[in-house]
Amino acid sequence: MKRLPLFVIMLLTVVGQAAEEARRGMVAAVHHLASEAGVEIMRQGGNAVDAAVVTGLVLGVVDSHNSGLGGGCFLLLRLPSGEIIVLDGRETAPAASTPDMFMRNGHAVPELSRTGALAVGVPGQAAVFHEAVTRYGKLPWKVHCEMAAKIAEDGFPLSRAYASRIVAVAKDLATFPSSRAIFLHADGSPLKEGEIHKQPELAKTLRALGAGGPDWFYRGPFAQAAAKWMRENGGLITEADFAAYAFKRRTPLETTYHGRRIVGMPPPSSGGVHVAQILNILEAKGPIRAADAPHVIAEAMKLAFADRAFWLGDPAFTKVPRGLADKDYGQSLAAKIDVTKVTPVKDHGTPPRADEHVFEKHTTHFSSADAAGNWVACTSTINTSYGSKVVVPGMGVVLNNEMDDFAAEPGAPNAFGLIGAEANLPAPGKRPLSSMSPTIVFEGDRPVLAIGAAGGPTIISQTLLALLHILDEGDTPAQALARPRFHQQWSPDELRVEKSMPEAMKADLRRRGHVLNEVEAIGSTQAVGQPVKDGPFVGAHDPRSREGRAAGW
């Protein structure tokens, strides 16, 4: 795989294929109303942090099947000073959680962690967004909330994706009166594409949050309303759980790849660890012939996901080895890959000093940057479509089902087929493992790319593939995002590939022993880059997301 200087790569194509160009600032998100809100707040005097937060708040209105105030986020920020800020707004398990809370008659009951009261973790998005704006933004918090509230109040036309997601989970939404009232018609039929969707309760919530800040959410009316519903419906979350919630400041996870500095999210994200781990494997295995690359990359993914299943969890509760991202460990794993055929991976590896050198105790991604030097990569989620399917009565907020990101029992798959071990069992105050992978790439000390993805465990493979296409193969961000994708997560032992992958490549992968599972599309990735210092920003949104847009100023 050839390597070009990134400034050359990104100058090859500046616009086209879902790309945009601007000099003062750029936002890329999965919905055009969110990107446009981000640009508008920069026009009003805000910076890229303001833009990212308002983008995230608006996505909670227009893309609420993926993210919102009822969920969590990871926010990676590079300041003009060069300092990197990592804010962990991952949801936490309620104090009454137990390792066997989803077990019945000796076996895990998947539905308990996916729908309804037990599926919900304490949300973290509001805490992180408020911290980001008040510490690093330029405009008042209430301005951001009002912009999102206005869209919720006035309404917006439902996209095909939004409407199709309602159809897919309509039966579950119908079981909760507050959810049914927002997403279904009076006769029980789902809202349809093109209908104007107004959410007055959510607008009221956003304005109250703008006026009252996190105290209103975590120690006031929202916490009280959510806890009341939990008491009445068999849930565990209490007012005390909300009051105890705190976002975490983390140390960024850093590695290098062919001379570039890659900065990602540490645990409880598995994304930053395994993007770094797979890059280390590929760097050690190189140079790799273009014809062998898909096979070798898939084998590297498989090795990393085997490690994920055993080692990864909340570093406050389990020892997560830093050696997973070690260059020497990557080299040892690279030696296990046979370039000609599939190699079975029966178990996890053991990185160096695994017991002592450890980390500190459905989804959307958006990226932003400005001419002052602020860069943001943020991934936000409520987990699967419409989360737990529960809307807090009177608040209009969809609650997450992030408890499904814990292991219901060791070896039991979650909604994405991922398995986990004791390291990721539920416990009071614990943060479930996540695949979210917000990433910023540097050439020297200069940020050149902010990227991330949505799509469960495929977040890791999407982010990885986009980086490889850009850094190794000379793609622009837009070209990289348009490429066919593939994903291997060890269990199940299959290679998921998009149907658009060339037939010759599929045939070659089968010849090497891969079992292919062909799907229409894998995830959604958003990226913002800057080809040259003080030059224009380049934004790219995923062409799989029809409503997405990269918008600049």
Side-chain angles (χ1 to χ4, degrees), residues 396-446:
V397 173
V398 180
L399 293 176
N400 68 83
N401 62 347
E402 296 296 350
M403 295 296 286
D404 190 56
D405 274 352
F406 285 116
E409 65 175 311
N414 70 2
F416 296 104
L418 289 171
I419 64 173
E422 286 81 357
N424 195 38
L425 288 173
K430 192 174 184 178
R431 295 167 192 251
L433 189 56
S434 172
S435 296
M436 295 190 292
S437 310
T439 304
I440 299 178
V441 179
F442 293 78
E443 286 198 340
D445 292 328
R446 189 174 73 85

Side-chain angles (χ1 to χ4, degrees), residues 89-394:
R90 187 63 163 152
E91 301 86 344
T92 56
S97 298
T98 60
D100 62 352
M101 62 185 289
F102 302 119
M103 302 281 287
R104 300 293 184 271
N105 299 318
H107 297 285
V109 180
E111 193 58 27
L112 294 176
S113 64
R114 298 175 189 175
T115 305
L118 291 180
V120 184
V122 182
Q125 187 193 83
V128 162
F129 280 7
H130 183 267
E131 172 71 5
V133 163
T134 54
R135 289 287 297 271
Y136 309 109
K138 297 177 70 176
L139 296 182
W141 167 243
K142 65 180 180 181
V143 172
H144 305 72
C145 294
E146 177 57 33
M147 290 181 73
K150 192 73 168 64
I151 295 173
E153 183 176 66
D154 294 344
F156 62 97
L158 287 186
S159 68
R160 178 181 298 180
Y162 197 123
S164 67
R165 297 288 185 90
I166 295 177
V167 171
V169 298
K171 182 178 178 181
D172 288 332
L173 290 170
T175 62
F176 304 105
S178 53
S179 306
R180 183 171 63 242
I182 293 174
F183 299 112
L184 305 178
H185 292 117
D187 64 0
S189 62
L191 300 181
K192 295 179 174 59
E193 179 184 1
E195 289 189 55
I196 302 301
H197 185 36
K198 297 184 179 182
Q199 300 172 81
E201 289 182 347
L202 182 55
K204 183 179 177 182
T205 290
L206 284 160
R207 289 189 173 113
L209 179 62
D215 279 346
W216 180 87
F217 190 90
Y218 291 101
R219 287 164 284 279
F222 185 88
Q224 293 158 11
K228 179 176 183 293
W229 186 90
M230 288 287 168
R231 285 193 298 273
E232 295 170 352
N233 291 274
L236 301 182
I237 296 178
T238 66
E239 287 97 331
D241 288 315
F242 271 95
Y245 185 85
F247 68 86
K248 299 286 187 183
R249 288 180 175 269
R250 304 282 187 189
T251 301
L253 189 151
E254 298 195 25
T255 191
T256 59
Y257 179 70
H258 292 151
R260 281 98 174 201
R261 182 170 151 232
I262 314 293
V263 179
M265 191 76 198
S269 165
S270 65
V273 172
H274 292 308
V275 167
Q277 184 181 18
I278 298 169
L279 289 174
N280 287 342
I281 294 170
L282 298 175
E283 188 176 54
K285 195 68 178 177
I288 303 168
R289 292 191 315 131
D292 297 326
H295 163 72
V296 174
I297 294 167
E299 291 291 274
M301 289 178 182
K302 184 167 61 178
L303 288 164
F305 273 91
D307 279 353
R308 182 192 192 277
F310 182 80
W311 292 110
L312 268 291
D314 184 341
F317 289 78
T318 189
K319 292 181 178 181
V320 182
R322 287 183 173 274
L324 291 166
D326 183 85
K327 292 284 187 183
D328 289 339
Y329 184 56
Q331 189 168 32
S332 71
L333 293 179
K336 298 181 178 182
I337 297 175
D338 186 328
V339 176
T340 65
K341 66 180 187 297
V342 165
T343 301
V345 177
K346 295 182 179 180
D347 206 350
H348 62 88
T350 302
R353 300 169 62 197
D355 195 48
E356 56 181 286
H357 189 49
V358 297
F359 285 94
E360 298 168 357
K361 297 187 174 185
H362 244 317
T363 305
T364 190
H365 179 86
F366 40 100
S367 296
S368 64
D370 64 37
N374 295 287
W375 286 69
V376 181
C378 183
T379 312
S380 184
T381 186
I382 56 172
N383 204 23
T384 61
S385 293
Y386 297 98
S388 63
K389 317 304 182 286
V390 174
V391 172
V392 180

